[in-house]
Amino acid sequence: MFKRNPRSYLRIVAEFFYPRGGWYRAAQYVIHRLRRLPDPAHRISRGIAAGVFASFTPFYGLHFLTAAILSWLLRGNVLASLLATFIGNPITFPLIAELSVNLGHAMLGHEVTVHLPEIVSSFAAATNDLWSNLKAMFTEASADWSKLSRFYDRVFLPYLVGCLIPGFVAGISAYILANPLIHAYQRRRIKKLKARYEKRMAERFSGDGGPTKNE
């Protein structure tokens, strides 16, 4: 009676694009968790900045690891960095990807425009080619790295270069916005806890001016 039905692959994919309860509820949950982290506001904010920056990188599938490493280097809160990668989601990824790739081409001096469908298909094809070439090392099949080389030149390298500016701007902006808000929340929470404690102590010693009979 206590067994839970495992989620199907279709449901997992569907909830990736639209989480249970909607994106607003998911965002509220992330914000709530960030505010309740037991660390100074500046460390949490550094972690948030690291997670936001990591979401702009082309290391799909490794954003958690990238965020954790950056947060550790910045002496930020690692858990906050993992939660902050929420900024990279199916709603924002199309904008981030196309902006970064084309900005990267411009920074590298390439007069090239790459649109989202090509970026998505290139990542999918590169993943398949990489897996096929790795399997070829243990079979009689021959490895072909030409497609991966084209993917690197046309999509991955421009993406890696182009993500630096918007990722840095977004990370710094996240820090500037988060630090005073988290600091104010923590001060207010401490004040409430202190007031609650003082109220309990006053109730215990009220009446006869000393401890209750149970004490």
Side-chain angles (χ1 to χ4, degrees):
M1 62 180 291
F2 295 104
K3 291 183 178 179
R4 299 177 61 183
N5 295 326
R7 295 185 301 170
S8 64
Y9 288 110
L10 181 61
R11 184 175 178 182
I12 292 174
V13 172
E15 289 184 0
F16 174 77
F17 287 97
Y18 192 81
R20 187 185 306 174
W23 284 108
Y24 178 78
R25 184 176 178 182
Q28 289 293 103
Y29 171 77
V30 171
I31 293 172
H32 174 73
R33 290 295 304 273
L34 287 171
R35 291 188 305 183
R36 299 295 293 269
L37 290 175
D39 223 351
H42 68 275
R43 284 179 55 88
I44 297 174
S45 301
R46 288 177 190 173
I48 293 173
V52 170
F53 180 85
S55 298
F56 279 75
T57 65
F59 305 124
Y60 292 109
L62 298 174
H63 281 168
F64 274 8
L65 179 61
T66 305
I69 293 173
L70 289 174
S71 181
W72 178 75
L73 292 174
L74 294 172
R75 296 184 179 180
N77 185 287
V78 174
L79 181 56
S81 71
L82 302 184
L83 291 170
T85 57
F86 173 82
I87 198 69
N89 55 69
I91 296 176
T92 60
F93 274 144
L95 177 62
I96 292 173
E98 190 159 337
L99 171 64
S100 297
V101 171
N102 289 299
L103 180 59
H105 274 297
M107 293 172 65
L108 292 170
H110 303 160
E111 295 183 1
V112 178
T113 301
V114 183
H115 295 294
L116 183 64
E118 181 180 350
I119 296 172
V120 174
S121 62
S122 295
F123 268 98
T127 302
N128 291 331
D129 290 341
L130 180 61
W131 178 243
S132 298
N133 289 338
L134 290 176
K135 289 193 297 182
M137 298 172 61
F138 305 97
T139 63
E140 296 180 356
S142 57
D144 181 11
W145 298 96
S146 59
K147 294 181 180 179
L148 283 172
S149 178
R150 185 176 185 275
F151 163 75
Y152 177 83
D153 293 333
R154 185 168 176 82
V155 176
F156 187 82
L157 180 60
Y159 199 146
L160 185 62
V161 173
C163 78
L164 297 178
I165 294 177
F168 183 78
V169 171
I172 293 297
S173 300
Y175 178 88
I176 293 173
L177 291 173
N179 191 49
L181 290 176
I182 295 174
H183 183 69
Y185 173 82
Q186 289 180 340
R187 289 186 61 183
R188 186 168 64 251
R189 187 163 181 262
I190 292 173
K191 188 179 295 185
K192 287 183 178 180
L193 291 174
K194 184 178 179 180
R196 192 181 304 169
Y197 172 77
E198 291 176 349
K199 182 180 179 180
R200 288 179 179 176
M201 294 301 295
E203 290 176 350
R204 290 176 62 183
F205 288 91
S206 63
D208 57 356
T212 60
K213 294 181 180 181
N214 292 333
E215 297 180 351

